[in-house]
Amino acid sequence: LDALKAYNYALAYAKQYDNPRIKSYAYGYMAELYEVEQRFAEALGYAEKALFAAQSANIVESRYQWEWLVARLHVGLGQYEAALDSYRQAIDSLKHIRRDLVRSTDKGYAELVGNVYLGFADLVLRNTSKLEEGAEKQTALAEVINTIESMRVAEMEDYLHNQCHDFQSSHQQLAETASSHVIAYPLLLADRVEIIAVLNGTYYQTTTPVNKAEVVKTINALRDGIETYSSDHRYLQPSQQLYQWLIKPMEPLLNPQTVDTLVVVPDGALRTIPLSSLNDGQQFLVERLALATTPGLKMTMAAAASRADLRVMANGLTEAVQGFSSLPGVDQELVNISSQFNTTVYKDNAFQLATVAGEISSNKYSVVHFATHGEFSSDHSKSFLLTHDAKLTLDRIDQTLGLRRLQDEPLDLLVLSACQTASGDDRAALGLAGVAVQAGARSAVATLWYINDEATSGLVSDFYLQLQDQQLSKAQALQRAQINMIRQERFKHPNYWAPFLMIGNWM
């Protein structure tokens, strides 16, 4: 009541001095008070006045707030179509202000307005779960996917502080021509997990009734159980639980006779774990399927490059520099790569920032390999790869490797073999995927956390060996290298092989 009195005072002031901005906010905040009391009809009246004032005075930064509020109130009143229209208006309004929006706060885009997109998805998916298979359901699921893709692009642009290259045609091509791979969009909603899967251009929906807090808790337990090696296999329980929630509902689509790859566009906390480590009680998921992850198909190139004549630039540090520990296994890693492909090596003192920046911006290499410390933070400006004398930041990568996207032949593969992201920080994990986007690379292989030096060298070398078989996709090459490591008793724990991710184009 005190709040309502204050808002009425503000409203009277706004009317007296003809201030539409204050009038809009006063009406909007009054509507939110009534929303809390679940007096939806009265709240809607105030919300519509707030929206009208914002539209009349072209107050662009608040329009999406009141359109989102109107959408929620229509949901409260059971007015499904009206709610959807308001959600669409809010999402459209965000397109025009998203860059200005994130500049005014320390929050990331998803934290700030992700619930607008997810609220729309939530509403549509509640309805589609009741629909029979058919054109209406397919159209609705496709709209959800397009909405989520738009949010993923906006989220990445916010993280990188620049505009992502738009691969819209690739998005459609990848989604519609999927035959031997399933593309999955898991959404962690408040009361359930929804997964939209795409196979052969057809959309499928699965629903698992488990609340988001429980899923996130289990995700964190899995990450902790794998990242910190222990002989008691404490990772196994959360691994098997997540398999039941995320993979088992899709099993009818994952026919081993026809499907060989699962591509995941992860949501939130799911970015912080390797889905390859999920276990069905008998085996790890990677033993059944090749795995790939992408921040969004709109940020993934569709075309696969020939691997007939791979030219590799291999960079590495074996020495301790700039306060970081030595990486003695890197020496053998670079030797192994050089023995398999046409390779130019820059090691230790030769691995200088200026030299690397000049070389990688050229069109001489189809693969660029970094065997060096890399750290990815929730702040993109603090994310980097270590060179002998300095740090290669994401912005510098954009200014060098990123220029390749303007040439006829973009970088095919970027490999980062000693990276780490903060546990539980999905925005830092977003940065790991952002490297491929910033570099304009078709694909990237990177690690979620730093692992045993010997294991890294062995797995990476095996991955390059498997790449020589052009019948294998890149995701399958990584899968084989991981399976070979699982079959070694000393390295079978997922701590050694699971953190390696195939990011972007998996073909």
Side-chain angles (χ1 to χ4, degrees):
L1 290 176
D2 286 342
L4 185 60
K5 185 184 296 185
Y7 291 144
N8 270 309
Y9 180 84
L11 183 61
Y13 177 96
K15 290 177 178 178
Q16 180 180 352
Y17 293 99
D18 192 26
N19 188 317
R21 187 179 301 275
I22 293 179
K23 183 189 294 184
S24 175
Y25 278 101
Y27 277 134
Y29 292 149
M30 289 164 72
E32 289 179 343
L33 287 180
Y34 281 92
E35 180 190 24
V36 170
E37 295 293 319
Q38 297 190 0
R39 294 163 65 173
F40 300 124
E42 294 163 280
L44 184 59
Y46 285 117
E48 288 175 337
K49 289 180 180 179
L51 181 56
F52 179 77
Q55 290 170 333
S56 300
N58 196 30
I59 306 169
V60 293
E61 82 277 2
S62 66
R63 266 174 46 186
Y64 87 90
Q65 295 182 55
W66 312 138
E67 288 162 343
W68 179 23
L69 176 57
V70 168
R72 300 197 306 267
L73 296 172
H74 280 307
V75 171
L77 292 167
Q79 298 165 349
Y80 174 75
E81 292 299 335
L84 284 182
D85 287 342
S86 293
Y87 267 119
R88 292 186 183 106
Q89 291 167 12
I91 290 168
D92 186 64
S93 293
L94 281 170
K95 292 178 185 176
H96 306 292
I97 65 165
R98 67 189 191 202
R99 289 183 180 83
D100 292 330
L101 195 64
V102 295
R103 289 193 191 108
S104 62
T105 176
D106 292 333
K107 293 181 179 179
Y109 188 81
E111 184 183 1
L112 198 62
V113 296
N115 283 336
V116 181
Y117 296 88
L118 292 178
F120 172 78
D122 186 358
L123 186 59
V124 174
L125 294 173
R126 286 185 189 277
N127 184 60
T128 53
S129 66
K130 303 169 189 173
L131 295 177
E132 297 293 329
E133 296 299 332
E136 181 183 358
K137 184 169 185 173
Q138 288 294 299
T139 299
L141 293 176
E143 185 180 13
V144 172
I145 291 298
N146 283 326
T147 300
I148 296 302
E149 282 283 340
S150 296
M151 182 176 78
R152 296 288 181 256
V153 171
E155 193 177 6
M156 185 63 77
E157 289 180 347
D158 164 43
Y159 179 82
L160 297 176
H161 291 186
N162 64 22
Q163 186 170 355
C164 295
H165 191 66
D166 187 8
F167 303 115
Q168 177 68 35
S169 59
S170 301
H171 162 233
Q172 297 299 331
Q173 184 181 343
L174 287 166
E176 293 171 5
T177 61
S179 55
S180 64
H181 49 267
V182 169
I183 302 170
Y185 292 78
L187 298 177
L188 307 184
L189 302 176
D191 60 344
R192 66 197 193 282
V193 173
E194 292 275 10
I195 298 175
I196 303 176
V198 190
L199 176 62
N200 288 322
T202 301
Y203 298 89
Y204 301 87
Q205 176 186 2
T206 68
T207 306
T208 302
V210 55
N211 69 69
K212 181 176 180 177
E214 184 65 21
V215 177
V216 172
K217 179 182 176 182
T218 308
I219 287 171
N220 291 337
L222 175 61
R223 169 80 184 235
D224 180 63
I226 297 179
E227 187 175 6
T228 305
Y229 179 89
S230 67
S231 58
D232 61 3
H233 301 305
R234 65 173 184 268
Y235 69 86
L236 201 53
Q237 191 279 328
S239 169
Q240 292 177 348
Q241 181 62 78
L242 287 168
Y243 184 96
Q244 295 299 312
W245 288 336
L246 299 172
I247 306 303
K248 193 169 182 61
M250 289 191 291
E251 280 187 339
L253 302 178
L254 305 177
N255 184 339
Q257 304 304 315
T258 55
V259 173
D260 55 40
T261 304
L262 175 62
V263 183
V264 180
V265 183
D267 178 31
L270 285 173
R271 296 181 183 127
T272 67
I273 58 167
L275 295 181
S276 58
S277 66
L278 301 193
N279 193 294
D280 65 2
Q282 301 295 322
Q283 60 183 351
F284 293 108
L285 183 58
V286 73
E287 296 179 83
R288 280 184 53 197
L289 292 165
L291 277 297
T293 181
T294 173
L297 292 191
K298 285 186 177 179
M299 293 173 278
T300 303
M301 296 186 201
S306 169
R307 300 203 298 269
D309 182 28
L310 283 183
R311 291 153 297 152
V312 182
M313 177 186 180
N315 311 282
L317 286 178
T318 65
E319 302 171 351
V321 295
Q322 302 180 58
F324 288 82
S325 62
S326 62
L327 297 169
V330 163
D331 199 44
Q332 188 60 49
E333 186 175 323
L334 298 178
V335 168
N336 291 343
I337 297 170
S338 299
S339 69
Q340 297 174 50
F341 294 102
N342 179 9
T343 305
T344 303
V345 175
Y346 293 92
K347 186 178 75 171
D348 292 334
N349 192 49
F351 182 23
Q352 301 284 328
L353 179 61
T355 303
V356 171
E359 280 289 286
I360 62 179
S361 61
S362 73
N363 199 23
K364 292 190 289 188
Y365 307 104
S366 45
V367 178
V368 173
H369 182 100
F370 288 99
T372 181
H373 292 284
E375 291 189 0
F376 293 89
S377 162
S378 54
D379 180 350
H380 100 287
S381 66
K382 297 178 181 177
S383 298
F384 64 89
L385 299 171
L386 194 71
T387 66
H388 192 272
D389 62 329
K391 292 174 180 176
L392 182 61
T393 64
L394 291 186
D395 287 338
R396 192 67 181 266
I397 289 173
D398 182 51
Q399 295 160 11
T400 52
L401 272 172
L403 295 177
R404 292 280 298 273
R405 70 168 71 96
L406 304 176
Q407 301 172 359
D408 292 336
E409 193 62 28
L411 184 68
D412 186 48
L413 178 62
L414 177 67
V415 180
L416 313 174
S417 70
C419 300
Q420 58 184 0
T421 63
S423 180
D425 188 344
D426 61 276
R427 195 165 155 79
L430 184 70
L432 193 64
V435 173
V437 175
Q438 200 81 321
R442 287 191 178 92
S443 315
V445 172
T447 56
L448 278 168
W449 59 82
Y450 175 70
I451 59 175
N452 176 284
D453 201 32
E454 182 184 356
T456 297
S457 176
L459 192 145
V460 169
S461 299
D462 196 6
F463 168 65
Y464 277 102
L465 179 65
Q466 303 300 332
L467 275 183
Q468 294 184 6
D469 184 350
Q470 294 199 54
Q471 299 303 309
L472 296 179
S473 69
K474 294 172 193 166
Q476 288 173 313
L478 180 59
Q479 177 195 23
R480 287 200 178 180
Q482 289 176 309
I483 290 174
N484 288 340
M485 186 153 281
I486 291 171
R487 290 173 179 166
Q488 299 178 53
E489 186 63 31
R490 61 184 297 210
F491 291 133
K492 68 186 299 183
H493 192 287
N495 171 270
Y496 296 112
W497 52 263
F500 283 88
L501 302 182
M502 174 61 63
I503 302 168
N505 184 296
W506 56 93
M507 292 178 286

